[in-house]
CSV table of all heavy atoms in Angstrom, one decimal:
chain,number,residue,atom,x,y,z
U,14,GLN,N,16.8,-19.2,-5.7
U,14,GLN,CA,18.2,-19.1,-5.2
U,14,GLN,C,18.8,-17.7,-5.6
U,14,GLN,O,18.4,-17.1,-6.6
U,14,GLN,CB,19.1,-20.2,-5.8
U,14,GLN,CG,18.7,-21.6,-5.4
U,14,GLN,CD,18.7,-21.8,-3.9
U,14,GLN,OE1,17.7,-22.1,-3.3
U,14,GLN,NE2,19.9,-21.6,-3.3
U,15,GLU,N,19.7,-17.3,-4.8
U,15,GLU,CA,20.4,-16.0,-5.0
U,15,GLU,C,21.0,-16.1,-6.4
U,15,GLU,O,21.6,-17.1,-6.8
U,15,GLU,CB,21.5,-15.8,-4.0
U,15,GLU,CG,21.7,-14.3,-3.6
U,15,GLU,CD,22.5,-14.2,-2.3
U,15,GLU,OE1,23.1,-15.1,-1.9
U,15,GLU,OE2,22.5,-13.0,-1.8
U,16,GLY,N,20.9,-15.0,-7.1
U,16,GLY,CA,21.4,-14.9,-8.5
U,16,GLY,C,20.4,-15.2,-9.6
U,16,GLY,O,20.6,-14.8,-10.7
U,17,GLU,N,19.4,-15.9,-9.2
U,17,GLU,CA,18.3,-16.2,-10.2
U,17,GLU,C,17.4,-15.0,-10.4
U,17,GLU,O,17.4,-14.0,-9.6
U,17,GLU,CB,17.5,-17.4,-9.8
U,17,GLU,CG,18.3,-18.7,-9.7
U,17,GLU,CD,17.4,-19.9,-9.3
U,17,GLU,OE1,16.4,-19.7,-8.6
U,17,GLU,OE2,17.8,-21.0,-9.6
U,18,ASN,N,16.6,-15.1,-11.5
U,18,ASN,CA,15.7,-14.0,-11.7
U,18,ASN,C,14.3,-14.4,-11.1
U,18,ASN,O,14.0,-15.5,-11.1
U,18,ASN,CB,15.5,-13.8,-13.2
U,18,ASN,CG,16.8,-13.3,-13.9
U,18,ASN,OD1,17.7,-12.7,-13.3
U,18,ASN,ND2,16.8,-13.4,-15.2
U,19,ALA,N,13.6,-13.4,-10.7
U,19,ALA,CA,12.2,-13.6,-10.2
U,19,ALA,C,11.2,-12.8,-11.0
U,19,ALA,O,11.5,-11.6,-11.3
U,19,ALA,CB,12.2,-13.1,-8.7
U,20,THR,N,10.2,-13.5,-11.4
U,20,THR,CA,9.1,-12.8,-12.2
U,20,THR,C,7.8,-13.0,-11.4
U,20,THR,O,7.4,-14.1,-11.0
U,20,THR,CB,9.0,-13.4,-13.6
U,20,THR,OG1,10.2,-13.3,-14.3
U,20,THR,CG2,7.9,-12.7,-14.3
U,21,MET,N,7.1,-11.9,-11.3
U,21,MET,CA,5.8,-11.9,-10.7
U,21,MET,C,4.8,-11.1,-11.5
U,21,MET,O,5.2,-10.2,-12.2
U,21,MET,CB,5.8,-11.4,-9.2
U,21,MET,CG,6.5,-10.1,-9.0
U,21,MET,SD,7.1,-10.0,-7.3
U,21,MET,CE,8.7,-10.8,-7.4
U,22,ASN,N,3.6,-11.6,-11.5
U,22,ASN,CA,2.6,-11.0,-12.4
U,22,ASN,C,1.4,-10.4,-11.7
U,22,ASN,O,1.1,-10.9,-10.6
U,22,ASN,CB,2.1,-12.1,-13.4
U,22,ASN,CG,3.2,-12.7,-14.2
U,22,ASN,OD1,3.9,-12.1,-15.0
U,22,ASN,ND2,3.5,-14.0,-13.9
U,23,CYS,N,0.7,-9.5,-12.3
U,23,CYS,CA,-0.4,-8.8,-11.7
U,23,CYS,C,-1.4,-8.7,-12.8
U,23,CYS,O,-1.1,-8.2,-13.9
U,23,CYS,CB,0.1,-7.5,-11.2
U,23,CYS,SG,-1.2,-6.4,-10.6
U,24,SER,N,-2.7,-9.0,-12.5
U,24,SER,CA,-3.8,-8.9,-13.5
U,24,SER,C,-5.0,-8.3,-12.8
U,24,SER,O,-5.2,-8.5,-11.6
U,24,SER,CB,-4.1,-10.2,-14.1
U,24,SER,OG,-4.6,-11.1,-13.2
U,25,TYR,N,-5.8,-7.6,-13.6
U,25,TYR,CA,-7.0,-7.0,-13.2
U,25,TYR,C,-8.2,-7.4,-14.0
U,25,TYR,O,-8.0,-7.8,-15.2
U,25,TYR,CB,-6.8,-5.5,-13.2
U,25,TYR,CG,-5.9,-4.9,-12.2
U,25,TYR,CD1,-4.5,-4.8,-12.4
U,25,TYR,CD2,-6.4,-4.5,-11.0
U,25,TYR,CE1,-3.7,-4.3,-11.5
U,25,TYR,CE2,-5.5,-4.0,-10.0
U,25,TYR,CZ,-4.2,-3.9,-10.3
U,25,TYR,OH,-3.3,-3.4,-9.3
U,26,LYS,N,-9.4,-7.3,-13.4
U,26,LYS,CA,-10.6,-7.6,-14.2
U,26,LYS,C,-11.2,-6.3,-14.7
U,26,LYS,O,-12.1,-6.3,-15.6
U,26,LYS,CB,-11.6,-8.2,-13.2
U,26,LYS,CG,-11.2,-9.6,-12.8
U,26,LYS,CD,-12.2,-10.3,-11.9
U,26,LYS,CE,-11.8,-11.7,-11.5
U,26,LYS,NZ,-12.7,-12.3,-10.5
U,27,THR,N,-10.7,-5.1,-14.3
U,27,THR,CA,-11.1,-3.9,-14.8
U,27,THR,C,-10.0,-3.1,-15.5
U,27,THR,O,-8.8,-3.5,-15.3
U,27,THR,CB,-11.7,-3.0,-13.6
U,27,THR,OG1,-12.3,-1.8,-14.1
U,27,THR,CG2,-10.6,-2.7,-12.6
Side-chain angles (χ1 to χ4, degrees):
Chain U
Q14 296 299 122
E15 213 166 16
E17 294 180 338
N18 295 341
T20 300
M21 51 205 86
N22 305 293
C23 173
S24 62
Y25 288 86
K26 295 180 180 177
T27 185

